[in-house]
Amino acid sequence: MAEEKEALSSGTPLGARLVVAQMESEDPEDPAKSPAPSPNYSTRKAFFAVFQNWVSKKFMTGCVVLFPVAITFYITWWFIQFVDGFFRPLYIRLGINIFGLGFITTLIFVFSIGLFVSSWMGATVLWVGEWFIKKMPFVRHIYSASKQISTAISPDQNITAFKEVAIIRHPRVGEYAFGFITSSLILQNDGGDEELCSVYVPTNHLYIGDIFLINSAEIIRPSLSIREGIEIIVSGGMTMPQKITPLERAPRQNDRSRLNSIAR
């Protein structure tokens, strides 16, 4: 390129030199010599950048909104199909092929079981069945773990495994952890009797965690139900309320009388 320019500049007339100078000024390989972009081109480029950013944000917003809805519908549809499959083969043999009829039958069956177990005869049958299951070497462990899971969310507060939701200072000062009060006991020592609460603190799963014995006065009891506490643990804290207030608990006379009776 340099040799061609020297040849043109030495043996060419003035018009050819002007053409070479124009070519040098419009050299695309040299950004300094390239022509400046027009104002209209810069405006269009900025508009397309803003429009692309706006479209990306709206698309992500739609994904964020539709993702939980799709997951909810998918799990609900799968659950209906799964439950409907219990009694649907029976209706198909009878010549009745109506989708959802097996699901309704399953719900009625579960309700009937709950109604039967609530009676004296049903409770007796359930107790005898549990007695046989607990005698089996391997099945009893599976049944015990399953029963703990169902008992924890039982609507009957008399048999629920989790008594209250608790907040304890753990593991360091200034840090708190969610737990569930499962039972209470009286610790007798030289300094006097002390009421301790057994607090179950889940780690990475609702039923895998540690048990701590903590003084009852050092436990913060928030105004949360058992179901709300389970939802907080299972969701990884995503369902955490914006504000948590402790319960206004009056002095428990039963505990005081129990401590006095033990001290005597």
Side-chain angles (χ1 to χ4, degrees):
M1 186 70 183
E3 293 178 357
E4 293 178 359
K5 291 180 180 180
E6 290 179 359
L8 290 173
S9 61
S10 59
T12 54
L14 179 60
R17 294 182 181 180
L18 293 176
V19 173
V20 172
Q22 185 177 3
M23 292 173 58
E24 291 179 351
S25 61
E26 296 178 356
D27 189 2
E29 297 180 357
D30 190 359
K33 297 179 181 180
S34 60
S38 62
N40 295 332
Y41 174 77
S42 301
T43 304
R44 288 196 301 268
K45 187 176 181 181
F47 172 77
F48 282 119
V50 173
F51 180 75
Q52 183 180 3
N53 188 20
W54 180 80
V55 171
S56 301
K57 288 184 178 180
K58 297 304 178 182
F59 181 79
M60 291 304 299
T61 302
C63 291
V64 170
V65 172
L66 291 179
F67 179 75
V69 175
I71 294 296
T72 303
F73 274 99
Y74 176 78
I75 295 177
T76 304
W77 181 254
W78 173 84
F79 178 76
I80 293 175
Q81 289 181 327
F82 175 75
V83 176
D84 186 71
F86 287 105
F87 289 94
R88 190 175 184 181
L90 178 61
Y91 285 112
I92 291 177
R93 289 185 178 182
L94 296 176
I96 303 174
N97 190 6
I98 301 176
F99 179 78
L101 187 60
F103 177 75
I104 296 175
T105 307
T106 304
L107 295 181
I108 296 175
F109 176 76
V110 173
F111 174 78
S112 302
I113 292 296
L115 190 64
F116 175 71
V117 173
S118 300
S119 63
W120 176 84
M121 183 179 296
T124 305
V125 173
L126 180 63
W127 180 84
V128 174
E130 288 183 346
W131 184 82
F132 279 106
I133 292 176
K134 291 180 180 179
K135 295 299 180 181
M136 301 179 182
F138 179 72
V139 180
R140 61 183 180 183
H141 299 291
I142 301 177
Y143 180 78
S144 299
S146 303
K147 186 177 180 180
Q148 289 178 1
I149 296 175
S150 61
T151 305
I153 58 176
S154 174
D156 190 356
Q157 297 297 327
N158 296 326
I159 62 174
T160 181
F162 297 156
K163 307 301 180 184
E164 293 181 74
V165 180
I167 298 178
I168 63 173
R169 292 180 175 87
H170 173 76
R172 294 188 296 266
V173 177
E175 295 185 4
Y176 298 88
F178 269 105
F180 300 94
I181 299 177
T182 56
S183 61
S184 59
L185 56 95
I186 302 298
L187 177 63
Q188 296 180 345
N189 49 32
D190 297 335
D193 297 333
E194 182 180 8
E195 181 188 8
L196 300 180
C197 290
S198 176
V199 179
Y200 174 78
V201 178
T203 52
N204 60 342
H205 192 271
L206 184 61
Y207 290 95
I208 300 178
D210 302 320
I211 298 176
F212 300 94
L213 294 177
I214 304 175
N215 192 307
S216 178
E218 298 179 359
I219 297 176
I220 302 175
R221 293 175 169 87
S223 56
L224 297 174
S225 63
I226 301 298
R227 294 182 182 273
E228 291 174 340
I230 293 176
E231 290 178 358
I232 292 174
I233 298 298
V234 173
S235 65
M238 290 186 290
T239 60
M240 187 80 65
Q242 296 295 327
K243 183 182 295 184
I244 297 178
T245 57
L247 290 174
E248 296 293 338
R249 297 175 60 91
R252 293 179 292 181
Q253 300 295 334
N254 295 333
D255 295 338
R256 290 184 178 179
S257 60
R258 183 175 54 181
L259 290 175
N260 294 331
S261 62
I262 293 176
R264 291 176 184 177

